[in-house]
Amino acid sequence: MELILDKNKKKEHLYLEVFHYYRELIMEKKLPPGSRMPSLRKCSQELKLSRTTIENAYLQLAAEGYIISKAQSGYYVTDIADRQHTSVRKTEKHAQTPCRFDFASSGVDRESFRFDLWRRYIKSALRQDERLLSYGEPQGEADLRDTLADYVRERRNVLCSREDIVIGAGIQSLLHILCPLLGQRRTVSFPNPSFVQGSTVFHDYGFQVDYRNKDCDIIYVSPAHMTKWGDIMPVSRRLELVNYSAAHGSLVIEDDFENEFVYLQKPTPSLFGLAGGQNVVYLGTFSRLLLPSIRISFMVLPPELSVLYRKKADQYNQTASKAEQIALCQFIRDGHLAAQTRKLKRLYSVKLKALRSAVREVFGKDAQIQTGAAGTSLALTLSTTLTWQELQKKAQTNGLRLQLLREAPGKITLILSCSSMSVADFVPACKLLKDISQIQN
Amino acid sequence: MELILDKNKKKEHLYLEVFHYYRELIMEKKLPPGSRMPSLRKCSQELKLSRTTIENAYLQLAAEGYIISKAQSGYYVTDIADRQHTSVRKTEKHAQTPCRFDFASSGVDRESFRFDLWRRYIKSALRQDERLLSYGEPQGEADLRDTLADYVRERRNVLCSREDIVIGAGIQSLLHILCPLLGQRRTVSFPNPSFVQGSTVFHDYGFQVDYRNKDCDIIYVSPAHMTKWGDIMPVSRRLELVNYSAAHGSLVIEDDFENEFVYLQKPTPSLFGLAGGQNVVYLGTFSRLLLPSIRISFMVLPPELSVLYRKKADQYNQTASKAEQIALCQFIRDGHLAAQTRKLKRLYSVKLKALRSAVREVFGKDAQIQTGAAGTSLALTLSTTLTWQELQKKAQTNGLRLQLLREAPGKITLILSCSSMSVADFVPACKLLKDISQIQN
């Protein structure tokens, strides 16, 4: 095996070729476990590539566990090749075909995110040495809060100042700060039991958690994500909710998850906006617009809670990465978040239609499909003699990941997400699903 | 004014010259608010620099608020020059001389952190596109947990597997997960009221918070940071605590903050190690070793709590940035954390001695100083007729930041931190402190 390099390729990708070259040598044990990698200098001379290129390739190999560095000595091949061979035995519990089709993903479309662009903003943020040498503001970076105030005013009619915005690493981090501010309110209602992360926090704080009970002190809703297949709350119902909660003194927590992906109608107004900023807490997140691995969410507090929060603000450390906050602020100001949102909305709208067509094509015109006005998923009800456990087991064996909505005798309803899968896979994935749901064990 | 560039300089710094050049033009209003910046193409032609260099300079200008981009149109100068001039009036509440000497900092020494190195690791992490497209593991990235298990075993004699480690964005995020696991335990004792962030979480969860009360169900201690001036818990006391808590069934939470900065004696064993991993929760953090703005902490759970946690693990989302976790894992594996720790330990040890000398030089041999065996601060008691409020006000006017430990009639005890200040500033800062504490209003 020889490394043949196309030197005309763009420089950023050269290191990947070096990476793949060595990865193969290691996995085929031509470089056996424990052997020493050539030094950067030597390797760079032999391959006639820059030291940086080699170093990047080595860093990547190390990051993925193929080699490991020993201080003052160099890089050594790990036993990854051995481990791969025995991994089936070791992790018998997880023994399964690699996932070919993932209908259960909560990730984002791999083509949709401009990694190069995000890397540039992170790089620029990491150049602000002075700013990174200190702890972040407990409430979140002030410039990001300014930018978010503009963002929610323009897009969601949420009027607030930077003082009312709290940034945190995900919705749970924000609820951990919010719950202790809620005083005498002790009961909370969720639309259904599916948002476990949210209800867990309330439960942990000793709240009584209930479902669809409008007599609770706190009403938690996701108006743009009422069901997993994308039902949204109509404006009439939003007004009703705002009026009811105002009359009964209950607090509404509006989790505006996926409000960006409402396709079939005009953007619906936020509850916070409809209520004139009274008695509603607004929650926003960027995990579906950027990368799920970037942990930045925010909440907008109504006036009384904002006052209570500021008295305690210094008692909570900021959880979100400062570098990522700085990068996101600039990313939004330069218009990239708006562009990314438009792009994703177009993309998911097309993909969701394609998925619906694929389901109809494979399961026939009478397939029981539920679709909504938003989101990245549809619900499909299958007639099958299998139980969910049986179906899931067969799916795993066949490299298919599924997500259950509910099970009834002879019927299984699945949530099929289009977000991570490629359009070309929809029909084959549906065919596979049909096959395994019809064949007995 | 003309931009004279030394083209022989290293390329990374060229953009900074462009940045400084424009910053001055903007602050001197030679480029007035609202005026359009030259396009990247034009500017790059005129200055004979690459577009990337210009773009990096513009990004930096934008990041610091000097210019703002308008989509499809280019960059425009903001009103920052106006705002700077009127800022004294606008923020009257905070009107104060810019900080010259910061004795109250919790940041890190600006010379100590290798930003270039960290940037390289982040860059490498951000290249792992596939990994970043999905949510992180709730418990934290598995490879980082493996690395941390090795790290605490080698350095702190904490024996655990990756299953027992939970990663989170700061100690509070971890306590938010820990507290609901503590079942019937309802009282917690802290050594003193200074760690507000910690006691707040327990308080929020309805625990009774007490101080120096060994009859509580939970004992929270920072054995390497018993006092703000660096007292550490001796081994005999550690053994006593471990035995006492085992006998009484109380749980110890060991916050190993600044254990890396124990100068005057051999590293003391961890409580977790002394207790054989029973009945102790170990907390570790990297904010003092890397950047405070990087939010990665971890906890090691003893067996019973580890089992309880895993049952609920999926109910909590990970709070720490995935990219930063990937970068930190590789950074530790490549030996950089160990090197950084050695470097900081040497640096702070020298700085703390220099600060002590400076205090003695300025305040005389009878100055009341308290020092410990660890940390980055000492305690200084001043005889003064001023109250703390008066002293603090005068300090602010003179650009000095102070931190109060306690106040008694005629006496004020301050905590002086050496971490962010340069050694050359110690004597002038102490002289200033002496001056303002002796002069009446």
Side-chain angles (χ1 to χ4, degrees), chain B residues 280-299:
Chain B
V280 179
V281 175
Y282 180 91
L283 295 173
T285 186
F286 297 102
S287 35
R288 295 291 282 168
L289 290 179
L290 302 170
L291 293 174
S293 51
I294 298 173
R295 307 298 295 146
I296 303 185
S297 300
F298 65 97
M299 63 179 169

Side-chain angles (χ1 to χ4, degrees), chain B residues 193-220:
Chain B
S194 74
F195 185 40
V196 177
Q197 278 80 8
S199 54
T200 294
V201 174
F202 283 93
H203 186 265
D204 285 348
Y205 275 112
F207 286 78
Q208 189 190 313
V209 176
D210 209 342
Y211 301 99
R212 292 186 165 276
N213 176 356
K214 62 181 186 171
D215 291 331
C216 286
D217 305 326
I218 304 160
I219 316 274
Y220 194 109

Side-chain angles (χ1 to χ4, degrees), chain A residues 15 55 62 69 110 119-120 126-127 130 132 172 204 293 295 315-318 321 324 334, chain B residues 15 55 63 69 110 119-120 126-127 130 132 172 204 293 295 315-318 321 324 330 334:
Chain A
Y15 85 94
E55 192 166 17
S69 78
R110 70 195 62 201
R119 275 194 282 268
R120 234 168 59 201
L126 286 174
R127 273 198 220 101
E130 279 302 315
L132 296 173
Q172 282 190 317
D204 285 348
S293 50
R295 307 299 295 147
Q315 299 174 23
Y316 299 101
N317 285 324
Q318 178 53 235
S321 152
E324 289 181 357
D334 288 350
Chain B
Y15 85 94
E55 191 165 19
S69 78
R110 68 194 64 200
R119 274 193 282 268
R120 234 169 58 201
L126 286 174
R127 275 197 219 102
E130 280 300 316
L132 296 173
Q172 283 189 317
D204 285 348
S293 51
R295 307 298 295 146
Q315 298 175 23
Y316 299 101
N317 285 325
Q318 178 52 235
S321 152
E324 288 181 357
Q330 203 51 40
D334 288 349

Side-chain angles (χ1 to χ4, degrees), chain B residues 208-269:
Chain B
Q208 189 190 313
V209 176
D210 209 342
Y211 301 99
R212 292 186 165 276
N213 176 356
K214 62 181 186 171
D215 291 331
C216 286
D217 305 326
I218 304 160
I219 316 274
Y220 194 109
V221 277
S222 302
H225 192 78
M226 298 293 287
T227 58
K228 290 208 169 186
W229 61 89
D231 275 338
I232 64 170
M233 190 187 281
V235 180
S236 58
R237 172 84 187 92
R238 289 183 194 226
L239 277 167
E240 209 177 290
L241 175 59
V242 162
N243 291 333
Y244 181 89
S245 61
H248 290 73
S250 45
L251 179 77
V252 174
I253 300 181
E254 175 178 28
D255 182 344
D256 214 10
F257 185 68
E258 287 196 346
N259 75 75
E260 304 87 359
F261 303 150
V262 175
Y263 312 115
L264 298 181
Q265 52 184 79
K266 275 201 274 184
T268 39

